[in-house]
Amino acid sequence: MSRREIVEVGHPVLRECAREVSEEELRSDEVQRLIDDMVETMRAADGAGLAANQVAETLRIAVVEVRPGNPRYPYKAPIPLTVVVNPVIEPLDDEVERINEGCLSVPNLRGEVPRHMSIRLRYTDRDGEEHEEVRRGLTAGTFQHELDHLDGVLFLDRVDDPATLTTWDAYERFYRDTFEERARSIVERTGS
């Protein structure tokens, strides 16, 4: 395993739509190595997720994990390591919350993004097993963020009020406590 460079906003690969991964490709050493590298890269950056586009690969693969004590996301419920290949999301209802998001590919910037609070997630795991799961709350938002990357969409495109854009320093100073209180109430209400 090795850490890969995380490309930043402005890199053309972040605007590309990733292509589906075939069963044969998924079994290949190359793709399995990519998945391992993505996990290591995400963990080293204290991320909650990482899409293949973010390491300059246009395959429909993302990894998501929130470990307890993550300094970037102390308010998020833990998410066990989940590797999603060829994922599809379906909102389950109209409930939407505004989530203050950041992104490893958009350093030093955060903003509020409306996200569905209940989704159905269909994907293949790294071993080729198919899954269908319901994800709720901030966890649902995390998966939506990563799947957006696979479609060439950044959280910046989803910010509906540009006045919510802040640097990390401004977020820490003026908005963190208020958002984290709201985020914790979402986790309490939804369980994730």
Side-chain angles (χ1 to χ4, degrees):
M1 292 194 307
S2 62
R3 293 182 194 167
R4 297 206 182 190
E5 176 188 0
I6 297 174
V7 298
E8 295 182 354
V9 61
H11 193 297
V13 74
L14 291 173
R15 295 307 189 167
E16 291 183 33
C17 190
R19 68 172 179 78
E20 290 206 354
V21 179
S22 71
E23 289 179 33
E24 184 178 326
E25 280 180 299
L26 181 57
R27 288 191 301 269
S28 73
D29 290 343
E30 181 181 354
V31 169
Q32 290 296 315
R33 205 168 22 257
L34 168 64
I35 292 168
D36 289 339
D37 290 353
M38 288 173 62
V39 170
E40 183 172 334
T41 302
M42 172 188 64
R43 287 175 175 168
D46 291 324
L50 191 72
N53 304 55
Q54 293 180 272
V55 292
E57 298 284 348
T58 53
L59 298 176
R60 291 193 79 75
I61 300 172
V63 297
V64 172
E65 179 182 51
V66 176
R67 293 177 169 190
N70 183 314
R72 284 174 60 99
Y73 302 105
Y75 49 85
K76 286 191 177 197
I79 304 172
L81 178 62
T82 308
V83 177
V84 296
V85 180
N86 301 331
V88 176
I89 282 180
E90 169 193 352
L92 294 178
D93 57 37
D94 294 330
E95 182 185 5
V96 172
E97 291 279 350
R98 294 168 61 87
I99 307 301
N100 190 298
E101 294 187 8
C103 180
L104 297 174
S105 290
V106 185
N108 199 31
L109 198 61
R110 295 182 65 97
E112 290 195 359
V113 179
R115 295 290 188 193
H116 290 279
M117 288 290 99
S118 295
I119 60 167
R120 182 177 324 281
L121 173 65
R122 293 181 184 92
Y123 66 95
T124 302
D125 66 22
R126 72 181 303 166
D127 299 317
E129 297 294 320
E130 293 185 10
H131 296 261
E132 181 174 319
E133 303 166 354
V134 172
R135 299 292 184 139
R136 300 192 190 286
L138 298 181
T139 297
T142 299
F143 280 95
Q144 289 168 77
H145 178 108
E146 297 311 324
L147 271 63
D148 273 352
H149 276 298
L150 300 179
D151 293 328
V153 175
L154 297 175
F155 86 91
L156 298 171
D157 305 321
R158 301 247 188 240
V159 171
D160 59 357
D161 180 0
T164 68
L165 291 171
T166 66
T167 64
W168 269 89
D169 286 343
Y171 168 75
E172 292 281 346
R173 189 170 172 201
F174 302 113
Y175 305 104
R176 182 178 193 133
D177 292 342
T178 302
F179 174 69
E180 285 191 11
E181 182 178 321
R182 190 161 51 88
R184 286 188 178 93
S185 74
I186 292 170
V187 170
E188 282 180 29
R189 182 170 48 82
T190 64
S192 58

